[in-house]
Amino acid sequence: MTTSDKAHTYTPFPFRLELFPPSLQALSKQSTNSREMQGGGSGNNSEPIIDKTRVLDVKPLRTLAPVFPSSSEAPRFVSASPFGPHSSGFSPFYPFSAPQATQATPDLNQQTHTTPAAPLRSFRGTEYNGGAFSGEAGSFDGSKGSAKRKTKFSLQKRARKSRDLDFGLSVDDNNFVVGVSLSERDDGNREVVHSIRMRYDALRRRLSQLEDAKESPVGIIRRADLKAGNILMTKQVRTNMRKRIGAVPGVEIGDMFLFRIEMCLLGLHAPSMAGIDYMSARNDLVEEPLAVSIVSSGYYEDNADDKDVLIYSGQGGAANKDKGATDQKLERGNLALERSLRRGNQVRVIRGMKDSLNQALKVYVYDGLYRIQDSWLEKAKSGCNIFKYKLVRIPGQPDAFGVWKSIEKWKEGLSSRAGLILPDLTSGAESTAVSLVNDVDEDKGPAYFTYVSTVKYSKSFKLTQPAYGCNCQKACQPGNLNCSCIRKNEGNFPYTANGALVCRAPMIHECGPTCPCFPNCKNRVSQTGLKVHLEVFKTKDRGWGLRSWDPIRAGTFICEYAGEVIEKVSQGGEEGDGDDYVFDTSRVYESFRWNYEPGLVEEDSSVEAIEEPKVPSPLVISSKNVGNVARFMNHSCYPNVFWQPIMYENNSESFIHIGFFAMRHIPPMTELTYDYGKSRVGEAEADGGSTPRGRRKCLCGALRCQGYFA
DNA sequence: GATAGATCAACAAT
DNA sequence: CATTGTTGATCTAT
C-alpha cells in the first residue's frame, strides 16, 4: 500500500492527507508488518506478550481467510463520508502550553465543514451554540447598556411563542426539528455538537432536579441521563447519525463525556451500552461488519495502562445473574474488530475511567483514532475464552487520555509536574491546594497579593434588606417547600445531588452560616471551598491563567470571586490606574443560553427560567491586593465558565457572592475563562474596528472574538 | 468513613 | 416485536 493509493481512494477529501501525514505511512508499514507476522506467532514489538499456547479448543482467528488483498486498507465504501475529521478544523491542541483559545474554542477557529450553508440562524430562539447564543445575540448587536434588561423579558415571550407548534417529530419548512437541520443530523459540526451537548446536560440536570424533589421510596433507580437522552433522541436533537469510519465532524480529540448517551447523541458511538460500534460495509465482493468505535469502560478485563496502546476485550460471554460466563463468539462486534484488523481500518477509541473527584462516577474521553494491530484468544478469570484486540494509537494526534494519565502520576507523586514553582500558592488558605506552574519562561510567579478565600465587604456596603434563613433541622431536602431558602429559589433546589448548578438565575439563594440546617446541607455549594485541583500557570501571551487537573462537569462550582468590595470608581480615565483585577456586575455581558428548554420537559410546558443575573445594586470587587484564584482567570469571548450571583445570610445580613460555574464539561488542563464584559464607558468608541481607548486587545483567539474587552 | 463489589432497572439497537 | 448486554445509581459489606 502506498500513499498514493490512499490519495486516490480519498480523492473527494483532500484534507485527508494533511491529517496525520507521517503517521499514516508509518502505521501502514506497521500494520503490514504485523499482518506478515501473524503466521509466525508473536509480533516483533515489545508489547505484553501473551502466551497463545494456553488457549485451547478454539480455532485461531488467523484461520480466517482475508477477504481483501492486504493493500485494500482504505475502505472504499466509506468514501462518501466527510473524512476531514478535524479536517478543516484540525487544530492540534497543546495541553501544556497552548493559548487557551486553542483548546476552548477549537471549533470556532474553522467553520468550513461539509455542512451546507443551512440557515441555522434563522431558526427560532431555542437554537443556541456553545457559549454564544447566536440566535439571540443578533438582537444585541449594537445594543448598548440598557438594551440588555429589555431583552431579558422579550426573550421569554419569544421563546414561549415559538413553542406553540408541537415539539414532536414534525419537520418545518426549513427542515429543522428543534434546531437541528436534516443535514446536520447526518453530518455534524462543532457548533451543533456543542449545542446538543449543552442542551442535553441542561435537560439532564433539570430532570435530576425534578427527581430529587420527588419523595420516592428508596431503592428506586433514577436515570435522568437516560430520560434526557430518550427525549432528545425522540425529538431528533442529535447529529452524525450516518455511521462512518474515522473522525466524526464536530467531535474533537480530548472531548469529555459523562454518559454513554451523550456519545450516542453526537454519533461518536451509537450503541447506548455495548462497547463496540460497527457498520456493515459492502463492496462488489462481500458484505462484512467493520468496527467504527469502541468504548473501554472497565467492564471487561481490558488493559488500559498505556496511553498509546489498549488491550481491548471482545464483547459477550460475561456472567450475569441468569447465567454464568461463556466463551465469546466471533460474531457482531468481535467479528467487526477482526475484520477491521484485516482491513487496517481506523477505529475511534473512547477511554472510560473513574472521575477523580468522585470515584463513584465515570468519565469518558475521546482519545482519537487507533488501528488494531493484533488479536488473540485468552482465558478470562472466569476460565472462559475471550477475544483480545491490541489497538495502537495513530501517532501525531494531540494528547488526550495521555494528559489524564500524566495528571494521575502527578497526583500520586510518581512524577513531578514540570515547571512546578509552588505546590500550594494559597499556603493552606484553601482546603484544596492550588499549584503554581511555569513551563513557558523564567517568570517565578505573579506579583505579591494576599490570598483570601472569600469576598470581604466593608461596613458601608452591607445590604440592609431584611435577611432570614431557613428553619430546617437537618439538611434541607429538595422538594420541601417549608424551607424558606428553597422557596427563595422559586421552589427549586438550585443544585443536583452531585452539587451541579441546575440553572442560571437572577440570584441563587443558599443556606447561610447561621441557618440551623446541618453543615452538610447541599444548598451551600459555594461555601464549601475549592473542590477541584486548580493550577495557576503562565500562558504564552496572556500572563497567568487558571486551569484544572480534575475534569470539571458542566454546572460544577469552581470558585467565587474573592477580593474587596469597593466603591465604584467614577468611570473615565481613572481606570488606567492599572487595576486589572476588578470584577464588576454592571458591565455589559454577552447574553447566552445555558438553561434547559422547558418545551422538552412535561412539567415545564410554559415556564421559562430567566437566566440573566440581577443584583440589587452594582457590585464591584477588586482582587488587586487581596484575592483568590479567580483573579487569575482570563477573559475569553468564547468562555467555558460563567459567573452567577449567590446570596446567603449571616447574622441577619445578606451578602452577595459571585460564584463561577462550569458552562460545559471541561477536560483537565483546559484553561478556564469567563466573559469579562465591557464597561459601558467608551462603548460609543467601540465601533471603530481598532481597540477603543481604555480597552484591551483580546487574545482569546475565538472565531467570534470581539477583538477587545474590559 | 472511604471504597470496592453486588444489585437492579433502564432502554437503544438489533 | 422480543431479546440482548451494559450502564449508572444505590445498596451492602469491609
Side-chain angles (χ1 to χ4, degrees):
Chain A
M1 172 197 44
T2 66
T3 307
S4 59
D5 286 332
K6 285 179 189 305
H8 174 71
T9 308
Y10 292 101
T11 303
F13 310 101
F15 318 110
R16 166 84 166 149
L17 286 177
E18 298 164 12
L19 248 188
F20 312 118
S23 53
L24 271 178
Q25 276 180 294
L27 200 120
S28 308
K29 283 195 197 105
Q30 258 180 352
S31 53
T32 305
N33 285 343
S34 91
R35 266 194 296 274
E36 286 165 0
M37 294 299 290
Q38 282 165 12
S42 63
N44 58 349
N45 50 63
S46 56
E47 283 313 311
I49 310 246
I50 282 81
D51 182 5
K52 297 183 183 184
T53 60
R54 293 189 321 200
V55 177
L56 305 171
D57 305 323
V58 184
K59 282 186 186 174
L61 294 173
R62 302 284 166 263
T63 61
L64 290 165
V67 174
F68 290 98
S70 61
S71 64
S72 66
E73 164 169 343
R76 257 162 289 168
F77 50 87
V78 290
S79 61
S81 53
F83 258 111
H86 309 284
S87 58
S88 52
F90 182 63
S91 49
F93 76 69
Y94 307 95
F96 302 109
S97 56
Q100 165 272 340
T102 314
Q103 281 180 65
T105 69
D107 49 305
L108 296 181
N109 293 333
Q110 309 274 345
Q111 293 294 334
T112 52
H113 268 302
T114 54
T115 311
L120 187 66
R121 296 297 156 274
S122 67
F123 194 62
R124 56 195 176 217
T126 51
E127 186 272 324
Y128 61 95
N129 303 287
F133 188 17
S134 52
E136 294 298 333
S139 60
F140 292 138
D141 284 351
S143 68
K144 317 292 180 200
S146 62
K148 197 171 181 182
R149 172 156 297 149
K150 191 180 66 195
T151 317
K152 174 170 67 188
F153 297 106
S154 58
L155 188 149
Q156 263 191 111
K157 271 190 204 143
R158 224 180 314 155
R160 196 170 306 166
K161 194 175 163 193
S162 70
R163 213 164 290 111
D164 51 6
L165 56 121
D166 177 30
F167 261 160
L169 300 170
S170 63
V171 174
D172 69 17
D173 292 343
N174 293 323
N175 284 337
F176 286 109
V177 172
V178 207
V180 182
S181 74
L182 280 175
S183 73
E184 283 166 343
R185 263 175 273 156
D186 274 349
D187 303 297
N189 58 60
R190 190 58 167 168
E191 284 196 38
V192 169
V193 162
H194 259 143
S195 165
I196 293 175
R197 296 184 68 176
M198 287 187 69
R199 294 163 74 175
Y200 170 79
D201 208 64
L203 182 58
R204 203 202 99 250
R205 293 190 309 267
R206 173 58 174 160
L207 292 173
S208 293
Q209 184 184 52
L210 289 167
E211 288 287 353
D212 289 347
K214 281 181 195 156
E215 278 209 45
S216 52
V218 283
I220 277 265
I221 291 172
R222 302 183 298 217
R223 296 291 301 262
D225 60 317
L226 296 177
K227 215 174 282 180
N230 181 242
I231 290 173
L232 293 192
M233 284 280 186
T234 310
K235 309 287 184 196
Q236 297 278 305
V237 181
R238 55 189 297 189
T239 186
N240 293 312
M241 286 172 73
R242 201 161 52 73
K243 283 198 184 184
R244 70 204 72 213
I245 286 171
V248 167
V251 179
E252 309 214 336
I253 295 170
D255 278 358
M256 149 186 165
F257 308 91
L258 305 183
F259 300 95
R260 293 284 306 259
I261 286 283
E262 289 182 82
M263 296 184 269
C264 305
L265 291 168
L266 303 182
L268 181 65
H269 187 84
S272 62
M273 288 171 248
I276 306 168
D277 190 11
Y278 55 95
M279 61 191 273
S280 169
R282 190 203 310 266
N283 77 359
D284 13 51
L285 295 174
V286 277
E287 182 162 322
E288 60 178 2
L290 286 182
V292 297
S293 61
I294 60 166
V295 179
S296 169
S297 65
Y299 182 76
Y300 290 100
E301 299 163 21
D302 296 349
N303 185 341
D305 292 337
D306 191 307
K307 72 182 178 70
D308 295 313
V309 179
L310 172 65
I311 307 298
Y312 189 75
S313 307
Q315 63 185 181
N320 61 37
K321 70 174 193 294
D322 297 326
K323 59 175 173 32
T326 56
D327 284 347
Q328 290 186 344
K329 300 189 191 79
L330 187 56
E331 58 183 22
R332 304 197 231 184
N334 301 343
L335 182 62
L337 285 171
E338 186 57 33
R339 292 288 190 253
S340 293
L341 162 64
R342 308 213 147 261
R343 300 262 291 241
N345 275 113
Q346 302 170 334
V347 178
R348 299 189 292 273
V349 170
I350 296 113
R351 305 259 207 163
M353 69 210 90
K354 285 178 178 172
D355 187 334
S356 52
L357 291 177
N358 184 344
Q359 297 288 306
L361 303 175
K362 209 180 280 177
V363 186
Y364 298 93
V365 190
Y366 174 48
D367 200 35
L369 302 174
Y370 282 60
R371 276 200 175 87
I372 311 171
Q373 214 175 67
D374 197 3
S375 73
W376 61 91
L377 269 169
E378 195 173 306
K379 288 268 188 248
K381 282 178 192 160
S382 66
C384 293
N385 285 323
I386 55 172
F387 292 98
K388 291 283 182 176
Y389 302 88
K390 178 183 173 186
L391 289 106
V392 178
R393 195 164 193 254
I394 297 178
Q397 304 178 90
D399 252 355
F401 182 66
V403 177
W404 298 63
K405 278 291 186 189
S406 303
I407 294 168
E408 245 172 44
K409 290 190 184 121
W410 303 340
K411 285 193 168 185
E412 289 166 7
L414 297 177
S415 69
S416 61
R417 174 84 178 90
L420 186 72
I421 297 167
L422 277 176
D424 181 14
L425 71 78
T426 80
S427 308
E430 300 278 7
S431 49
T432 307
V434 176
S435 328
L436 178 64
V437 171
N438 183 354
D439 52 12
V440 173
D441 57 31
E442 299 306 309
D443 195 348
K444 285 301 173 195
Y448 179 82
F449 71 102
T450 303
Y451 197 99
V452 295
S453 59
T454 189
V455 64
K456 304 288 179 207
Y457 279 82
S458 59
K459 286 264 187 264
S460 55
F461 282 94
K462 278 179 183 169
L463 297 169
T464 50
Q465 56 186 258
Y468 56 92
C470 63
N471 295 314
C472 300
Q473 291 309 305
K474 293 179 182 171
C476 298
Q477 286 301 317
N480 175 16
L481 295 181
N482 293 323
C483 170
S484 60
C485 292
I486 295 179
R487 282 205 308 275
K488 279 185 265 183
N489 291 302
E490 314 286 323
N492 287 318
F493 202 83
Y495 303 106
T496 66
N498 284 338
L501 183 69
V502 176
C503 286
R504 295 169 71 213
M507 180 68 70
I508 294 289
H509 299 270
E510 291 193 352
C511 294
T514 46
C515 281
C517 55
F518 284 11
N520 67 346
C521 170
K522 300 222 174 191
N523 195 23
R524 301 172 194 264
V525 165
S526 75
Q527 301 164 57
T528 52
L530 298 186
K531 289 283 183 288
V532 298
H533 184 128
L534 295 170
E535 168 180 297
V536 172
F537 73 105
K538 187 74 185 281
T539 65
K540 274 207 174 123
D541 54 0
R542 292 175 305 142
W544 297 88
L546 188 67
R547 61 190 174 191
S548 166
W549 286 17
D550 294 308
I552 304 177
R553 308 157 90 92
T556 301
F557 170 76
I558 296 168
C559 63
E560 76 164 289
Y561 197 99
E564 301 167 296
V565 174
I566 56 172
E567 190 118 29
K568 185 152 182 170
V569 269
S570 60
Q571 304 260 353
E574 288 187 61
E575 286 196 46
D577 287 356
D579 190 351
D580 294 334
Y581 299 98
V582 172
F583 180 90
D584 181 353
T585 59
S586 69
R587 283 186 181 160
V588 180
Y589 294 91
E590 283 296 308
S591 179
F592 67 96
R593 169 142 203 161
W594 191 68
N595 296 351
Y596 64 96
E597 294 154 280
L600 298 175
V601 183
E602 266 178 51
E603 288 88 335
D604 299 305
S605 53
S606 64
V607 194
E608 172 128 10
I610 300 170
E611 298 199 31
E612 303 302 318
K614 188 178 180 184
V615 291
S617 58
L619 178 64
V620 183
I621 306 170
S622 169
S623 60
K624 186 180 184 186
N625 304 313
V626 169
N628 70 343
V629 286
R631 73 199 289 278
F632 294 109
M633 237 191 300
N634 283 314
H635 164 86
S636 171
C637 299
Y638 184 69
N640 51 21
V641 172
F642 63 83
W643 60 273
Q644 163 70 54
I646 299 168
M647 187 183 274
Y648 47 86
E649 67 85 41
N650 192 4
N651 292 320
S652 300
E653 289 176 307
S654 284
F655 295 96
I656 295 170
H657 298 254
I658 300 300
F660 286 101
F661 293 87
M663 199 180 278
R664 50 181 174 268
H665 308 326
I666 306 173
M669 304 307 280
T670 305
E671 184 172 2
L672 306 177
T673 55
Y674 71 100
D675 174 16
Y676 277 14
K678 296 186 175 68
S679 68
R680 289 155 198 268
V681 174
E683 191 78 3
E685 305 170 40
D687 300 322
S690 59
T691 306
R693 191 154 37 91
R695 297 282 170 88
R696 300 180 58 190
K697 189 167 186 284
C698 182
L699 300 170
C700 79
L703 181 70
R704 296 206 184 115
C705 176
Q706 313 220 335
Y708 64 92
F709 65 93

